[in-house]
Amino acid sequence: MVNKELRVRKIRNGTVIDHIPAGRSLAVLRILGIRGMEGLVVAIVMNVESKKLGKKDIVKIEERILSREEVDKIALIAPTATINIIKDYKVVKKYRVSLPDEIIGLIKCINPTCISNKPNEPIRPIFTVISRNPPKLQCIYCGTYINYDDIILQLAGNL
Ligand code: CTP
Ligand code: ZN
């Protein structure tokens, strides 16, 4: 883009998570288990202008690729995010995160008496995706709704 000032420099190899809803980059890092002490080179950009979103966050992680499960978790709290894989300074792959119609195993039902929470019952939690942005899920076993606050608490803890 012409005349667009770079806030943080381009990376040589790694992953850029772009178009994160403004303010959610720290939650994304929590989901990835990145707290700083593991020594990865990470750049966080918060609340910058975006044509599509108004404001957005960006996370650049050098020398790190994301697993499918990590991307699915990010989709739950940042459904607009795009994942850019960078190799030798070039974007070699770009895709938008996407949530399947059913979420299996990523989060737990918040109803303590749900069959998926019985300690001796080998039943994986499964949720139907009711809406994506903001996220709303429904447990297929007990019908309990799971909203954004429940999801963020489970995936990122108290930020
Ligand atoms: N990026 C980076 N290092 C690189 C290449 C790209 O940090 N070596 C970052 C860019 O700063 C941008 C994102 O990766 O935040 C995607 O890059 P690019 O596709 O070149 O930008 P846009 O065309 O603006 O992306 P989009 O169309 O997805 O908005
Ligand atoms: Zn349930």
Side-chain angles (χ1 to χ4, degrees), residues 21 24 31 72-80 97-100 103 106-107 110 127-139 144-153 155:
R24 298 195 192 165
I31 284 172
D72 287 348
K73 285 182 181 171
I74 291 170
L76 275 170
I77 63 134
T80 52
V97 301
S98 75
L99 269 188
I103 303 291
L106 295 182
I107 55 169
I110 55 168
F127 301 91
T128 306
V129 176
I130 306 287
S131 77
R132 286 176 161 74
N133 196 8
K136 188 176 177 189
L137 313 178
Q138 184 173 30
C139 177
T144 299
Y145 290 110
I146 315 285
N147 63 26
Y148 175 76
D149 288 339
D150 303 320
I151 294 169
I152 201 99
L153 194 62
L155 294 183

Side-chain angles (χ1 to χ4, degrees), residues 9-14 62-63 86-90:
R9 69 186 162 114
K10 303 225 162 214
I11 64 173
R12 184 202 290 270
N13 291 304
E62 296 188 36
E63 309 294 344
I86 314 295
K87 290 217 169 87
D88 240 339
Y89 289 105
K90 294 202 174 61

Side-chain angles (χ1 to χ4, degrees), residues 12 14 21 35 37 56 61 75 91 98 101 116 120 150 153:
R12 184 202 290 270
R35 288 169 173 264
M37 293 305 288
K56 69 171 180 180
I61 311 162
V91 179
S98 75
D101 296 331
S116 67
N120 300 319
D150 303 320
L153 194 62

